[in-house]
Amino acid sequence: MLQFIARRLLATVPVLLIVAVFVFMLLRLTPGDPAAVIAGDNATADQVAAIRTKLGLDEPIWTQFAIWSGKALSGDFGESFFFKKTVAELIAQRIEPTAMLALCTIILAVSVAVPLGVLAAARQGSWVDRVTMGFSVMGFSVPVFVIGYLLIYVFAIQLGWLPVQGYKRLSEGFWEFLPRMVLPSVTLSVIYIALISRITRASVIETLGEDYIRTARAKGLPGHVVLMRHALRNAAVPIITVIGIGIALLIGGVVVTESVYNIPGVGRLTVDAVLARDFPVIQVVILMFSFVYVLVNLLIDIAYSFFDPRIRY
Amino acid sequence: MSIVGRTLKGVVAAGAFAALMSGTALAQTTLRVVQHGNLTILDPIWTTAYVTRNHGYLIYDTLFAADGDYVVRPQMVEKHEVSADKLTYTFTLRDGLEWHDGAPVTSEDCVASLKRWAARDAMGLKLWDFVKELKPVDAKTFQLVLKEPYGLVLDSLGKPSSQVPFMMPKRIAETSPMEQIKEYVGSGPFIYQTKDSKPGEKHVYLKNPKYKPRAEPPSGLAGGKVVKVDRVELVEMPDTQTQANALIGAEIDIVEAPPHDLLPILKADKNIALEDWNPLGHQFIIRFNHVVKPFDNPKIRLAALYAINQEDYLKATVGDPAYYKVCGAVFICGTPFATGKGAETLLLKSNFEKSKELLKEAGYDGTPIVLMQSTTLPILTNTAPVTKQLLERGGFKVDMQSMDWQTLVTRRTKKDPADKGGWNILHTYSVSADVLNPISTSYMVAAGDKGWFGWPVDPEMEKLRDAFAKETDPAKQKELAEKVQLRALETAQYGWIGQWYGPGARRSNISGWLKAPVPVFWNIVKTGK
C-alpha cells in the first residue's frame, strides 16, 4: 500500500507540470492585460506600457515561463500584481474560509444524504422514498445562488436568526464562526445531498438484491443489521466515489457561495484574480486545486480497499 | 476605614471603572462601507482607479481642495501668494500639521509629493510643462516658479479626482513614480491600519486623533474635515445583491453605489435612505478610433455623431429619468465651463438622414464597424447595443463584439485595423469631476500617442487647450472652453452621451454624508448600533 501511495504521489509531479505549462500559456494567450487593469481607466497608453514593462509582461512568453518556473521550483511563487503580497501569503490568508466551508458542507451533506439514501432504499416506493427523490431532483435543478438568496431572505432578513454575510475565523471563537457558516453550508450542501442520496439509494437497492443479503435474512438477522452491516458496507464503493467527486466539484460551488455570502476564500480570490488577470495568483490557485483533485482521488482509492477487502493495490 | 468600608469602596471603584470602560466600548463607532469595487492598489498616484482615490482621501490631505461650488480653497495651505508677474507662487503650510507617524509635515515633503504626482497625472504633466522650479524656502514654505503664466496652478493642486495630488512624507514620495509605495502614511483625518486590513476582505482606518481640521465648515472636499466616528471599515463585497441584503440586515452602514435596478428595493425599506452624495454624477462617452479606417475620416465620425442621441443611451442604461440628464455640455451641466453650444444639432437628437448623407459624401464602403461591448460592467453593458442600433439606422454596418471589461481595456490599446484585432468604437464613463475643463478631460487630448485611446491628432485643438491652460481670466477661460467644445464637435473627436447619477444608500441612523465628487467619511455621524 505504501508503495502504491508513493507511486501515486510521484505521478502527481508530471500532472502538475503539465497543468502549470498549460495554465501559463493559456493565461498569456487569453485577451486581457493586467497592466491596463492596474493603470485604471483614465491612464494613457504610455502609462499602461510602462507598467507592463515593470511587471515583465513584455518579455517573450518562454522567458516569462522560465523565470516563473525557476522561482516556483525554489518555493517562490511570486507576488500578486495587485495586492503586493506574495501569492503564498494571500492563499494562506484565504485558505481557512474555503476549507471550513468545504468541510462543513461535506459533513452536512454526508450526514444527511447517506441516511436519507439508505432510508429511501429500505422503504423503496414509500412516501419517504418519493420525497427523497423529489428533493434530489430539486437539488439538482435549482442553481446555488437562487438557494442562497432564498435562505438569506427567509433566515437572515425576515426571521433575523442568522447573519446575511461575512466570515469569522475559528480563532475569533466558535460561536462567532458557527452562525456565519450555517447558511453557506446549507446552500452548498443541497446539491451534494441530492447527488449522494440518489447514488446511495441506487447502490443500496442494488446490493439488497444480492444473494448474500438473502442468505443473511434467511439466517434470521434483524433488518437493520442486514441493512447497515451487510448492504451499506458493500454499497460503499460508489458512494465513496460520488463523495470524492463531490469534494472535487465543491471548488466550483464554493466560488458562487463565497460570492453570495461574502466569504473571503480562495474561490473569491480566484474570481477576482481571473477578472483582474492577476497571473501569478491564478497560476498557483489552479495548481493547488489540481493537487487537491489528485489527492482526493488517491484518498478515494485508499478508501476502496478499506471498504472492499477484495480491492488490493 | 473598616475592612468592609474599604471593600465597598473598592467594589464601587471597580464598578465605576468597568462602567467607564464599557461606556468607552459602547461609544466606539465603526462605519462599515461597501465601495463600488475592490480596493487592491493602495497608491493613489500609481493608479487612476476610483476606489484607490477614495482610500487616498481617507488617509492623505491635499494642499488645496474644491468646495461645494467647485471653487478651489486652501486645505493644508495656510496662505499663498502669487507674484505680480504671475510666475511665482509661494505656499505656506498650516501650523501643527503632522504625519501619522508623528513627524511634522514640511515643505520638503510637499515638494517631493508634488513631483511624484506630476510625473503621473495628466494635469500634473501639463502643469510641469510650465514649471521652472519647485523648491522649499523654509520648513513651512515652498515656491513654485513658472516659465510663463499658467492659469490652472491652483486647479491642478486642488483637483478633486484621480489622480489627486495627495501629500506624503518625503521618504515615501521619493519612491519612483513607476513603483508602488509600500508604506501608507499620510496626514489626513484617518490612519490606515495595515495590520488589521485584509485585502479582499476589508480595509481598516482609525480616526486620526491628532488631525487638526480647518476652522471653516465642510464644503465639498474643502473646509474642516471633522471626523465623528472612531473607525471606518471598507468592506469588500463584490456581489451587489449581497450588498443590498447586508444593508437591509444592518450589517453595513453605507453602500457607495448600488446598481440602479436595486434602488427600488432599497427605497422600499424604511430604515434605508438614498443619498445623492455626488450631485455632479457621471458622464458616458463614445470614443472613435482615429487611427484606423473608417473613423480616420472626420466626415464618417461626424456621421456617427449625427446618428446618436443621448436619451436613448440613458433610457437603456439608467432607465429612471430621476437618475439621468440629457446635457449638451461636455464640461458637465451646472459647472463653470458648461455650455450647450454646438450640441443643438448633434448628440441630443438623431438625424439619420444627415448621417446617411455624410456617409455617402465620405464614400463609406460598408465595411462593418467593430464595436466593443463590455459585458462585465453593468452600467456600460447596454451602451453598445444602443450604438449598434442607432448607427445602423444612420447607414453604418456594425459588428458588435462582446467581451469582458479586461479584454476590452487590453484591446483598446491596439492600433491594428479592426478586422485584425483592433477596434473602431468603445464606450466608457467618467466621474464628472474628471471632465470639468479642457485640461483635466483626458478624452480632449488631441496629441496622438500622448492622448487617450483612439489617439486623435488635431493641432488646432491642442492650441486651444494650451491657450486655456495659460489663461488666467475666468471669463476668457470660459470662452476658450466653449471653443474647445465646438472644435471637438466639429472634428467629431468623441461624443458625450449623457450624464447619469447614482445615489448611495445608507442606513437611516447615518447622517452628515457630504455632497462631493468623491465619497468622504469625515462629518458622518452614526447613532445607535
Side-chain angles (χ1 to χ4, degrees), chain B residues 202-478:
Chain B
K202 66 178 178 185
H203 293 267
V204 179
Y205 304 82
L206 295 185
K207 176 182 178 174
N208 177 2
K210 291 184 179 170
Y211 184 75
K212 290 189 175 58
R214 291 189 72 87
E216 300 93 333
S219 171
L221 297 165
K225 297 179 177 178
V226 179
V227 174
K228 297 174 181 173
V229 292
D230 301 295
R231 178 182 167 106
V232 170
E233 288 183 6
L234 299 182
V235 182
E236 314 265 67
M237 203 180 290
D239 187 280
T240 52
Q241 183 63 56
T242 305
Q243 293 172 13
N245 288 336
L247 189 68
I248 292 166
E251 290 174 23
I252 50 170
D253 303 304
I254 287 177
V255 176
E256 180 201 328
H260 291 100
D261 56 349
L262 287 179
L263 293 180
I265 297 171
L266 296 172
K267 224 178 196 171
D269 191 313
K270 64 179 181 1
N271 296 313
I272 292 171
L274 299 181
E275 185 86 41
D276 184 20
W277 55 271
N278 174 14
L280 281 184
H282 310 74
Q283 184 191 61
F284 284 125
I285 71 141
I286 179 169
R287 183 68 163 186
F288 308 113
N289 187 347
H290 291 236
V291 299
V292 298
K293 284 186 182 312
F295 289 131
D296 56 344
N297 182 336
K299 216 168 235 181
I300 295 182
R301 294 198 301 269
L302 197 58
L305 287 193
Y306 269 108
I308 61 178
N309 74 85
Q310 293 190 356
E311 185 94 38
D312 281 7
Y313 287 103
L314 295 165
K315 271 186 189 159
T317 52
V318 178
D320 185 344
Y323 299 121
Y324 70 69
K325 184 190 275 177
V326 169
C327 168
V330 66
F331 302 122
I332 306 300
C333 282
T335 68
F337 299 125
T339 170
K341 285 232 173 117
E344 301 89 351
T345 51
L346 288 166
L347 303 176
L348 303 188
K349 196 168 179 292
S350 294
N351 184 343
F352 301 120
E353 289 316 309
K354 180 77 180 170
S355 171
K356 284 176 188 164
E357 192 186 309
L358 284 169
L359 285 183
K360 203 172 169 188
E361 280 175 31
Y364 172 59
D365 62 0
T367 308
I369 305 297
V370 171
L371 163 63
M372 298 197 288
Q373 184 205 19
S374 160
T375 53
T376 48
L377 285 186
I379 193 69
L380 282 179
T381 303
N382 290 349
T383 50
V386 173
T387 296
K388 178 177 164 63
Q389 198 180 21
L390 292 175
L391 290 193
E392 282 175 349
R393 289 180 70 188
F396 286 89
K397 279 191 182 159
V398 181
D399 172 15
M400 186 174 79
Q401 298 183 10
S402 302
M403 58 198 80
D404 72 339
W405 179 247
Q406 313 314 341
T407 304
L408 191 152
V409 296
T410 305
R411 190 161 167 188
R412 75 181 179 188
T413 62
K414 292 185 190 303
K415 292 181 177 172
D416 304 315
D419 58 350
K420 292 191 169 58
W423 59 280
N424 293 125
I425 294 183
L426 64 82
H427 292 280
T428 189
Y429 72 91
S430 279
V431 166
S432 297
D434 279 330
V435 291
L436 294 179
N437 66 57
I439 301 302
S440 71
T441 308
S442 47
Y443 317 119
M444 212 49 103
V445 179
D449 287 352
K450 286 184 184 166
W452 204 74
F453 311 94
W455 312 281
V457 177
D458 180 10
E460 179 58 31
M461 173 61 92
E462 285 306 287
K463 259 191 229 165
L464 286 171
R465 292 179 68 245
D466 277 347
F468 177 88
K470 288 175 193 170
E471 187 53 65
T472 52
D473 177 353
K476 286 182 182 160
Q477 275 186 330
K478 181 149 187 169

Side-chain angles (χ1 to χ4, degrees), chain A residues 33 47 54 164 268 275, chain B residues 120 179 200 251 406 410 412:
Chain A
D33 180 2
Q47 288 176 332
K54 175 79 196 152
V164 170
R268 241 183 63 189
L275 286 177
Chain B
R120 293 300 299 253
E179 299 268 352
E251 290 174 23
Q406 313 314 341
T410 305
R412 75 181 179 188

Side-chain angles (χ1 to χ4, degrees), chain A residues 93-114:
Chain A
Q93 204 179 71
R94 303 294 193 94
I95 200 88
E96 186 198 304
T98 302
M100 284 299 144
L101 178 58
L103 191 69
C104 291
T105 302
I106 280 298
I107 291 172
L108 186 66
V110 171
S111 55
V112 172
V114 174

Side-chain angles (χ1 to χ4, degrees), chain A residues 134-215:
Chain A
F135 174 81
S136 166
V137 170
M138 198 191 74
F140 280 125
S141 320
V142 184
V144 172
F145 71 90
V146 173
I147 297 169
Y149 289 138
L150 196 71
L151 291 178
I152 288 173
Y153 180 73
V154 175
F155 294 100
I157 293 178
Q158 291 300 314
L159 297 172
W161 291 350
L162 293 159
V164 170
Q165 53 83 44
Y167 179 78
K168 292 276 183 189
R169 284 171 170 73
L170 263 173
S171 55
E172 291 174 66
F174 184 71
W175 295 112
E176 289 287 324
F177 162 83
L178 191 64
R180 286 172 177 80
M181 216 15 66
V182 175
L183 291 182
S185 311
V186 172
T187 303
L188 194 51
S189 63
V190 168
I191 191 166
Y192 299 107
I193 292 173
L195 181 73
I196 298 168
S197 63
R198 209 175 174 83
I199 298 293
T200 305
R201 176 184 176 274
S203 184
V204 172
I205 286 173
E206 196 186 327
T207 317
L208 286 175
E210 298 284 338
D211 291 344
Y212 65 88
I213 296 289
R214 204 168 26 219
T215 310

Side-chain angles (χ1 to χ4, degrees), chain A residues 29-56:
Chain A
L29 295 174
T30 307
D33 180 2
V37 184
I38 288 167
D41 194 37
N42 289 323
T44 62
D46 287 351
Q47 288 176 332
V48 174
I51 293 172
R52 199 178 295 122
T53 307
K54 175 79 196 152
L55 297 177

